[in-house]
Amino acid sequence: MSQNNLSKIIIIDFGSQFTQLIARRIRELGVYCELINHKQINKINNFVKIKGIILSGGPLNVYETKKIKFNASILKKKIPILGICFGHQLISKTLGGKVKKAKQREFGLVRIKKVKNSPLIINFFKKNLKNNVWMSHADEVIKLAKNFKVIAKSENANFCMIENSKDKFYGIQFHPEVTHTDNGKIILQNFVYRICRLKKNWSSKNQKMILINEVKKQVGNSKVICALSGGVDSSVVAKLLSNAIGKKLTCIFVNTGLLRKNEEQQVINTFKKKFKINLVYINAKNLFLKKLKNVSDPEKKRKIIGNLFIKLFERYSKKIKNVKFLAQGTLYPDLIESKSVTGSQTSKIKSHHNVGGLPKIMKLKLVEPLKFLFKDEVRKLGLELKLPKEIISRHPFPGPGLAIRMPGYITEEKVKILKEADNIFIQNLISHKLYDKIWQAYAALLPVKTVGVMGDNRTYEYICLLRAITSEDGMTADFYNFNKDFIQTVSNKIVNNIRGINRVVYDVTSKPPSTIELE
Ligand code: XMP
C-alpha cells in the first residue's frame, strides 16, 4: 500500500515543540497525517487527498515576516484549516486581522469560556461552559479578520477560539494536543471528523508498511548495521529493518555484563535463532568491568561505557563490508530531551547513551525509522511485527545498564547481587499482575552497608533500593503506590534469598525533583 492513496491531514510545522504531538494525536484518531516544514508549502503539488490543514505553533512572531516563509495560497484551496497558537495568529494576520504583543502573557493553565456554538466545540466544554486549557503565548489576536466570529474567550484574551464557518477556517490560541488541556482531543476529533469529514484510515499496520517502504527507499542496496540492546526500541528497529532489507542488515549486540538477568540469552534466542537475523555477539563483560574499576562518578561511568561501546561497535562493524548506514532506535522524546526540536538550547541533565555518538565517528548515515514515534506507538508497531510480548512490554532499560543503578564502585560481586535482586522484584511484579501497570521498575544497590540481624547473628550488608514509577513518556514520573503485602513479600524474598543484602528501601520521589535512574 502507498500513503499517496490515503486521504490526509497536513500539519504545517512552524517549529513548535508540540508539532509531533499534534501528529501523534491525529494518528491516535486513526487518520493519516503528514508533516511539512512551513518553508516547503510550495512543494505540495497535489491537494486532492488533503482534507484538512493544521498550522502549528512556533517560536516566531507573526511580524517577523522575513523569517516566515508562509505561502498564503493554501488558504485559497477550499480546504478546512485549523491554526494553533502561532498558526491562529498567522491566519488572522494574513486575512486582515491584527496581532500584537499581549498585555498579559499567558503560560500554563488558563480558563476559557464559551461564547457561541461551533462544530469545533461539540462536546468540548464542560457543563459550566468553562474549560482549563494550556496556553503558551506572548502575542495575541486583537482584531478579527473579516467573516470571523469568536467561539470562546479567556479573561485576558477575547479571541481564544475563532471561526470563519463559511471557509471552514478555525483558530485557537491554546494547545489542544497537550494532555493538560481539558478535552483537547475532542477539538482535534471535531476538526478531523466533523469539519474535514475524514474517516478512519490509519493503523499500526499501515504504519509498518509505510516505515518498511521508507527504509527500503532510504537504504537501497547498501548494508546496514544496528546496535541491538534487547530493549523495545532497538528490537523494533531490528525487526523492522530485517523485514525491509533482510540479510543486508547485521545486528551487533554488546554484552556489557551490565544487563538484566538472562537478557543476553533472550536476545540471542529471539533474534538469531527465531528470526534468523545476522547477529554479531560480543561478550565484553570483563572489559567493561576492567575499565570501570575504581570509578564512582556517574558521568565518568556513562562516558566510559559509551566510549567503550563505540570502540567495540566500530571494531566489529569494520569487519562487515560496504556498510553505509547505522540504524538506531531513537524515539521522539529522545530527540526532545537531547536537543530542542526548534534548535534552542536545553540544559543537559545526563549524557544519554544512545543519541548521536556512533555515526559521527564512523561516518555512517543514520536510519532512524522511529524518530517521530512515541513509546506506546513503538510497542504497537512491535506487536504488528510479531515480536514476542516479553520484549514489547518490557520496561525501558538505560544504555549504561546496571552501572547507573549501583552508585559508587562497580564490582563483579555487586553486579551479581543486583541482577538477582532485580530479577526477584520483576518476577514478583509479573506474578502479581503489576508489571504492565508500571512504566518502569528496577532494583538498585546502594553503596552503604548497614547492620541487621538474621537468626541470632549480626549481618553487615548492602541496602537494596526498589524504584517503580508511572509515567507517560519518562519525562515526568510518579512513584507507584504498592500495598504493604506486596512490598513486604518482595523485601522478604530479596533478603532471604540474596547473600549481600539485609535491608530493602522503596524510593518515594517523583521526577522532578529526582530522575528515574539514580545516576
Ligand atoms: P532519567 O533517569 O533521565 O531517565 O529520568 C529517563 C528515562 O531514560 C532512561 N535512560 C536512558 N536510556 N540511555 C538510554 O537509552 C541512557 O543513557 C539513559 N539514561 C536514562 C531511563 O531508564 C528512563 O527510562
Side-chain angles (χ1 to χ4, degrees), residues 59-182:
L60 300 170
N61 169 303
V62 284
Y63 290 102
E64 292 177 283
T65 39
K66 280 196 188 134
K67 289 193 193 155
I68 305 164
K69 302 266 181 289
F70 177 58
N71 184 340
S73 67
I74 54 163
L75 300 179
K76 298 199 180 116
K77 301 283 180 194
K78 299 200 182 319
I79 298 173
I81 297 189
L82 173 66
I84 295 177
C85 194
F86 173 84
H88 156 68
Q89 296 165 8
L90 190 65
I91 302 188
S92 295
K93 178 180 170 265
T94 311
L95 295 173
K98 269 198 185 146
V99 178
K100 241 180 79 179
K101 197 172 260 313
K103 276 195 206 114
Q104 178 73 49
R105 297 185 311 175
E106 292 178 308
F107 288 96
L109 282 184
V110 170
R111 180 157 281 219
I112 62 163
K113 201 172 146 212
K114 177 176 163 183
V115 174
K116 77 177 263 306
N117 283 330
S118 157
L120 192 64
I121 54 164
I122 293 172
N123 300 327
F124 168 65
F125 276 100
K126 295 185 196 161
K127 281 210 176 98
N128 64 1
L129 303 184
K130 290 176 184 164
N131 279 20
N132 283 330
V133 298
W134 184 261
M135 296 275 196
S136 179
H137 70 113
D139 292 345
E140 67 172 319
V141 177
I142 53 154
K143 183 182 157 236
L144 290 182
K146 202 174 153 204
N147 298 331
F148 273 82
K149 292 210 166 91
V150 179
I151 307 172
K153 61 181 186 177
S154 75
E155 200 179 306
N156 297 309
N158 280 328
F159 307 126
C160 278
M161 299 185 85
I162 59 172
E163 74 170 353
N164 165 343
S165 54
K166 186 173 139 267
D167 292 321
K168 297 193 177 168
F169 292 159
Y170 299 82
I172 50 183
Q173 184 55 70
F174 57 89
H175 290 270
E177 67 276 21
V178 305
T179 49
H180 314 282
T181 292
D182 291 339

Side-chain angles (χ1 to χ4, degrees), residues 306-365:
N307 290 340
L308 189 53
F309 192 92
I310 291 172
K311 237 189 203 163
L312 288 169
F313 193 82
E314 210 187 346
R315 189 187 305 158
Y316 281 84
S317 56
K318 272 187 188 149
K319 297 184 184 173
I320 308 160
K321 296 268 165 337
N322 294 328
V323 175
K324 294 239 166 57
F325 291 90
L326 170 77
Q328 286 201 153
T330 316
L331 306 194
Y332 188 58
D334 299 334
L335 292 182
I336 300 177
E337 282 224 332
S338 286
K339 74 171 179 344
S340 153
V341 178
T342 57
S344 59
Q345 281 292 313
T346 49
S347 107
K348 178 164 139 191
I349 313 292
K350 297 174 185 180
S351 312
H352 265 232
H353 173 83
N354 56 340
V355 184
L358 292 173
K360 268 184 238 137
I361 293 183
M362 299 170 61
K363 299 195 175 66
L364 292 174
K365 286 187 213 150

Side-chain angles (χ1 to χ4, degrees), residues 302 337 349-354 396-400 404-405 439-440 474-475 511 514-519:
R302 282 178 172 273
E337 282 224 332
I349 313 292
K350 297 174 185 180
S351 312
H352 265 232
H353 173 83
N354 56 340
F397 188 66
I404 57 167
R405 293 179 175 175
W439 199 80
Q440 189 170 6
M475 293 205 229
K511 172 184 179 178
S514 293
T515 52
I516 295 174
E517 301 293 343
L518 297 193
E519 296 190 328

Side-chain angles (χ1 to χ4, degrees), residues 234-408:
S234 66
S235 298
V236 171
V237 168
K239 187 66 173 62
L240 187 80
L241 265 95
S242 157
N243 283 22
I245 58 168
K247 292 287 176 195
K248 279 179 277 177
L249 169 74
T250 303
C251 292
I252 300 185
F253 174 67
V254 180
N255 181 1
T256 58
L258 300 161
L259 304 171
R260 291 166 284 195
K261 192 175 175 186
N262 298 333
E263 193 156 10
E264 56 275 25
Q265 211 43 58
Q266 192 188 29
V267 169
I268 294 170
N269 286 345
T270 307
F271 290 92
K272 197 174 176 114
K273 298 198 178 144
K274 186 167 168 202
F275 294 135
K276 311 265 181 270
I277 290 177
N278 291 332
L279 180 77
V280 177
Y281 172 74
I282 308 170
N283 186 350
K285 273 193 223 169
N286 295 337
L287 197 55
F288 276 88
L289 265 185
K290 201 170 125 201
K291 294 271 179 202
L292 288 165
K293 201 171 169 193
N294 297 330
V295 178
S296 63
D297 178 76
E299 277 299 288
K300 271 195 193 142
K301 284 183 187 173
R302 282 178 172 273
K303 293 253 157 68
I304 290 171
I305 294 169
N307 290 340
L308 189 53
F309 192 92
I310 291 172
K311 237 189 203 163
L312 288 169
F313 193 82
E314 210 187 346
R315 189 187 305 158
Y316 281 84
S317 56
K318 272 187 188 149
K319 297 184 184 173
I320 308 160
K321 296 268 165 337
N322 294 328
V323 175
K324 294 239 166 57
F325 291 90
L326 170 77
Q328 286 201 153
T330 316
L331 306 194
Y332 188 58
D334 299 334
L335 292 182
I336 300 177
E337 282 224 332
S338 286
K339 74 171 179 344
S340 153
V341 178
T342 57
S344 59
Q345 281 292 313
T346 49
S347 107
K348 178 164 139 191
I349 313 292
K350 297 174 185 180
S351 312
H352 265 232
H353 173 83
N354 56 340
V355 184
L358 292 173
K360 268 184 238 137
I361 293 183
M362 299 170 61
K363 299 195 175 66
L364 292 174
K365 286 187 213 150
L366 279 180
V367 186
E368 294 179 301
L370 314 181
K371 75 175 170 199
F372 292 132
L373 301 188
F374 291 78
K375 196 91 180 177
D376 57 324
E377 293 181 296
V378 172
R379 290 201 161 111
K380 281 190 197 139
L381 181 63
L383 287 178
E384 204 52 58
L385 288 161
K386 307 229 170 345
L387 279 165
K389 185 170 175 298
E390 309 86 72
I391 290 185
I392 296 304
S393 54
R394 199 154 206 198
H395 292 170
F397 188 66
L402 300 183
I404 57 167
R405 293 179 175 175
M406 195 184 293

